[in-house]
Amino acid sequence: MGHAKEGVAFAPLNIAVLTVSDTRTFETDTSGDTLETLLTAVGHHCTERKIVPDDIYQLRAAVSHWIACESTQIILVTGGTGFTTRDSTPEALTPLFDKHVEGYGELFRTLSYEEIGTSTIQSRAVAGIANRKVIFCMPGSPKACKTAWTRIIEEQLDARHRPCNFVEMVLPHAQTACGSRS
């Protein structure tokens, strides 16, 4: 972890995982499996997993349900971020955002460049906040999910990470490393 504040405890979060695919099933959803394994390995809870086809309205319905759900704090979406005619995750979900997390997509593409070179420009990874839920959308490959989780999302969902993280926003009464940056 980058910078950790001593005396702040890890706060497990309830995370929903959505795989966007016209072809995957729970038996073949390696990207969803990767995210669930990574998030539970550090102590978070995978509260629900779904697979929906690349359809704007089915995507919005699934994510809107979790946005309204009191017990869900984080939503991870894998797939549908490319440029094919069926890729519609950004179009489906960005209208739901109260705020956009602009730096996420930029940082993801920067890190991904180290792994796949210029093909990273074909990723439309996006993130946003809706009803105090943080939504991260990433490409549909297990490698992309691992990059997004281990190099960006994991620290941002750790209350000990400083100078700031998203935990204070989704768990407003949690003690976090945010606040004083000294």
Side-chain angles (χ1 to χ4, degrees), residues 11-73:
L13 300 173
N14 293 328
I15 302 176
V17 176
L18 177 67
T19 299
V20 180
S21 176
D22 291 332
T23 58
R24 292 190 187 160
T25 65
F26 282 107
E27 292 77 31
T28 62
D29 181 18
T30 54
S31 296
D33 290 343
T34 296
L35 289 171
E36 183 173 6
T37 297
L38 291 168
L39 72 91
T40 56
V42 297
H44 294 299
H45 309 288
C46 184
T47 55
E48 191 172 357
R49 272 183 65 183
K50 288 185 182 178
I51 299 173
V52 299
D54 282 309
D55 176 83
I56 288 175
Y57 302 103
Q58 289 185 53
L59 281 163
R60 284 183 186 158
V63 172
S64 292
H65 167 75
W66 288 327
I67 289 171
C69 180
E70 283 190 38
S71 64
T72 301
Q73 286 117 13

Side-chain angles (χ1 to χ4, degrees), residues 1-11 154-182:
M1 181 172 11
H3 307 286
K5 184 172 182 179
E6 290 185 34
V8 175
F10 179 81
E154 181 179 354
E155 282 187 340
Q156 286 299 302
L157 301 185
D158 191 327
R160 302 167 295 183
H161 180 72
R162 55 177 288 178
C164 57
N165 57 70
F166 284 114
V167 177
E168 187 173 75
M169 186 191 66
V170 300
L171 294 176
H173 303 295
Q175 181 187 12
T176 71
C178 297
S180 173
R181 296 178 192 230
S182 57

Side-chain angles (χ1 to χ4, degrees), residues 68-168:
C69 180
E70 283 190 38
S71 64
T72 301
Q73 286 117 13
I74 306 296
I75 302 165
L76 303 179
V77 181
T78 176
T81 61
F83 283 99
T84 71
T85 56
R86 293 289 292 161
D87 289 326
S88 59
T89 297
E91 290 79 13
L93 301 185
T94 57
L96 301 178
F97 297 166
D98 299 325
K99 294 183 181 184
H100 295 260
V101 181
E102 303 293 344
Y104 168 74
E106 296 162 356
L107 181 56
F108 177 82
R109 284 181 286 279
T110 299
L111 297 170
S112 181
Y113 179 78
E114 298 169 7
E115 299 170 1
I116 64 170
T118 60
S119 293
T120 194
I121 66 169
Q122 294 186 37
S123 165
R124 297 182 305 140
V126 296
I129 300 164
N131 193 27
R132 299 181 69 96
K133 320 294 176 165
V134 185
I135 303 158
F136 294 98
C137 305
M138 63 207 80
S141 76
K143 188 172 182 178
C145 291
K146 185 176 181 182
T147 297
W149 177 265
T150 61
R151 302 203 53 202
I152 305 170
I153 300 169
E154 181 179 354
E155 282 187 340
Q156 286 299 302
L157 301 185
D158 191 327
R160 302 167 295 183
H161 180 72
R162 55 177 288 178
C164 57
N165 57 70
F166 284 114
V167 177
E168 187 173 75

